[in-house]
Amino acid sequence: MRFPTSVQDHPIVQRAVRRLDDLGDPRLGRTLTRCLDDTLARTIRPMPDGTAFVVTGDIPAMWLRDSSTQLMPYLALLEDNEPLQDLVLAVLRRQFQQIARNPYANAFNAEPSGRAHDPDDLCEDPWVWEAKYEVDSLAFPLLLARRFWAATGRTDHVAATLRTARTAIEIWRTEQDHEDRSTYRFLRRNCPPSDTLPNAGRGTPVARTGMTWSGFRPSDDACAYGYNIPANLCAAAALDGTAELARLTDDTQLAEGAAQLASELRTAVLRHGTVHHPEHGVIYAYEVDGHGNTLLMDDANMPGLLSLPLVANIPATDPVYLATRGFVLSSANPTWHRGAAAEGIGSPHTPDGHIWPIAIAVQGLTSTDRAEGYTALNTLLATDAGTGQMHESFHKDDPRRFTRPWFSWANAMYAELALDVAGLGSRHLWAPA
């Protein structure tokens, strides 16, 4: 099967480029088409079974989260474009296969090659690149599936989506009682503490709260405390979409079950995952354990606290979100940096003082001020080190010091922000009607 390798002639892309050109810098539009075409031409591999495998960039593996976000900008281009629609469906089918194979894994190989981030990990499945359990790995394909339906009206993926959702619900229910019901373990030897789980691979102890446990963050770093707040809220949004799709097939039981779990997660977050900050008021924590321990920070990866309107069906005007946003974009957040080149959020996953382009794009996409989106877009251009590509991170004082020369997720976030600034993005698909 052949899939599109360029969208530079797509009417919406051409319109977006003209609108961006009108802003006075031709690099805005050129970078948009470069980022969109790079994903199509270099990261997507058609497979013999009709699915599509998507590498994240300079690592030869497919992450469930990354491959979903890499496709999000194309949602705005799907109307009356069957080849692009078929591409998204092919990726979704691959994701559903991967989740069915191992719902606790976060990244997979194209074939059963046995390649792995670390061959000494407990997981011996040759299809699995890495088995770091992250709540959002199950949530993001469900978000993509629901948004694909909203963008196209197609339903030929709904049955498979609902089968996958049942698997996710089973895992999330199990991990609501991680201490007594979960059999998941992750151990890695001779590595930094962020790359393995303590307590014989079980993670730090947690109490039951109604939230669902996660071993690792979206950064692939170990959670300090097992309840990651943005991941729980992202899971709730995925369940909202599941309930919406289940109603299409009159599957009342699944619709009610998904809605019930979504309600439990949100209620638990409000009860256990918010704190009163002396400067910013009531805000979301980043992680808690139910025993009274709380981590106040944000991470540049999605889902993070800054990205909640984008991935968690939380309005950008919500008071708790706005207070949290104020905290996240301030020196009170230990991962926020300001330097000579830019200011923004970084991650413990990368060197200190580094800012992530993903977080800059998220800041623009979730702002209620359109000027902030335009500023974010220009900041991304100014910090690409002249490469025309977005990187994983760059130093706040010198963008020439960057990590990962080819990171497709970051390119996708530039594209999504550029389409949004041009007034042609997929913002209307973020939340159920």
Side-chain angles (χ1 to χ4, degrees):
M1 181 180 294
R2 294 181 61 86
F3 296 120
T5 58
S6 174
V7 289
Q8 64 177 346
D9 295 327
H10 192 289
I12 290 178
V13 174
Q14 291 184 328
R15 196 182 318 158
V17 169
R18 289 195 296 270
R19 292 184 181 181
L20 293 170
D21 284 348
D22 289 343
L23 297 176
D25 188 341
R27 295 179 302 160
L28 294 168
R30 286 201 303 264
T31 304
L32 169 63
T33 55
R34 183 184 299 115
C35 287
L36 289 171
D37 284 356
D38 182 82
T39 295
L40 296 177
R42 300 177 64 202
T43 72
I44 296 171
R45 175 180 165 189
M47 303 302 289
D49 62 359
T51 66
F53 187 85
V54 186
V55 297
T56 187
D58 49 21
I59 302 175
M62 178 172 173
W63 266 257
L64 290 166
R65 169 193 56 253
D66 295 29
S67 57
S68 298
T69 56
Q70 285 167 259
L71 292 183
M72 290 293 182
Y74 303 95
L75 295 174
L77 314 180
L78 294 185
E79 187 175 359
D80 300 324
N81 193 311
E82 191 169 338
L84 274 179
Q85 293 178 18
D86 289 343
L87 168 59
V88 177
L89 281 180
V91 174
L92 281 169
R93 287 195 295 269
R94 190 75 182 185
Q95 292 174 330
F96 296 158
Q97 287 179 5
Q98 292 166 336
I99 290 171
R101 174 173 293 280
N102 188 331
Y104 279 100
N106 59 324
F108 295 82
N109 295 312
E111 295 91 10
S113 62
R115 300 184 70 179
H117 180 89
D118 189 322
D120 292 329
D121 287 354
L122 290 176
C123 182
E124 297 179 352
D125 187 337
W127 287 94
V128 173
W129 170 269
E130 193 170 56
K132 287 181 172 178
Y133 174 59
E134 301 160 7
V135 167
D136 64 279
S137 293
L138 297 173
F140 265 94
L142 297 178
L143 290 178
L144 178 62
R146 184 260 160 201
R147 293 179 187 186
F148 175 82
W149 164 74
T152 66
R154 288 180 64 164
T155 58
D156 38 339
H157 68 303
V158 169
T161 302
L162 298 183
R163 284 195 299 271
T164 302
R166 290 187 182 91
T167 299
I169 289 171
E170 181 180 357
I171 297 296
W172 290 338
R173 283 286 186 198
T174 296
E175 296 300 337
Q176 283 181 304
D177 188 7
H178 175 71
E179 298 291 341
D180 291 335
R181 294 183 58 197
S182 178
T183 60
Y184 175 78
R185 306 288 184 273
F186 188 92
L187 283 171
R188 180 172 288 170
R189 300 172 182 84
N190 302 317
C191 65
S194 61
D195 247 0
T196 189
L197 294 182
N199 192 21
R202 297 178 61 87
T204 54
V206 292
R208 291 192 65 177
T209 62
M211 285 181 284
T212 191
W213 177 90
S214 189
F216 293 84
R217 300 169 181 166
S219 62
D220 300 334
D221 289 345
C223 292
Y225 307 120
Y227 298 124
N228 183 277
I229 302 304
N232 270 265
L233 292 171
C234 181
L239 291 163
D240 292 342
T242 293
E244 194 174 11
L245 294 180
R247 294 186 192 103
L248 295 178
T249 63
D250 296 321
D251 191 337
T252 304
Q253 183 177 13
L254 179 58
E256 291 178 351
Q260 175 61 34
L261 181 53
S263 177
E264 290 177 28
L265 297 179
R266 290 190 172 106
T267 298
V269 164
L270 290 176
R271 182 175 300 157
H272 301 279
T274 57
V275 298
H276 188 275
H277 189 276
E279 180 181 353
H280 297 281
V282 177
I283 65 172
Y284 291 111
Y286 186 71
E287 286 171 3
V288 300
D289 62 4
H291 290 298
N293 293 303
T294 301
L295 178 61
L296 296 185
M297 58 162 274
D298 198 15
D299 194 285
N301 289 267
M302 293 195 301
L305 296 174
L306 187 64
S307 69
L308 292 178
L310 184 58
V311 300
N313 296 347
I314 291 178
T317 55
D318 176 84
V320 178
Y321 172 73
L322 286 174
T324 305
R325 183 184 182 92
F327 161 79
V328 165
L329 297 176
S330 76
S331 58
N333 172 20
T335 64
W336 183 84
H337 308 291
R338 171 181 284 163
E343 61 181 54
I345 303 171
S347 169
H349 190 70
T350 47
D352 188 42
H354 278 59
I355 297 168
W356 283 50
I358 285 174
I360 294 172
V362 167
Q363 182 177 346
L365 283 163
T366 56
S367 176
T368 56
D369 182 359
R370 294 188 65 85
E372 192 170 0
Y374 176 64
T375 298
L377 201 59
N378 279 288
T379 300
L380 291 175
L381 278 185
T383 54
D384 71 354
T387 65
Q389 300 269 3
M390 302 299 111
H391 303 119
E392 179 188 48
S393 71
F394 62 88
H395 192 272
K396 61 186 178 66
D397 296 319
D398 184 2
R400 294 170 298 179
R401 296 165 56 187
F402 59 80
T403 61
R404 296 192 64 179
W406 183 32
F407 190 35
S408 183
W409 180 5
N411 285 336
M413 294 307 299
Y414 175 91
E416 189 154 11
L417 177 61
L419 288 168
D420 191 71
V421 168
L424 298 168
S426 59
R427 183 183 291 260
H428 63 289
L429 303 175
W430 292 359

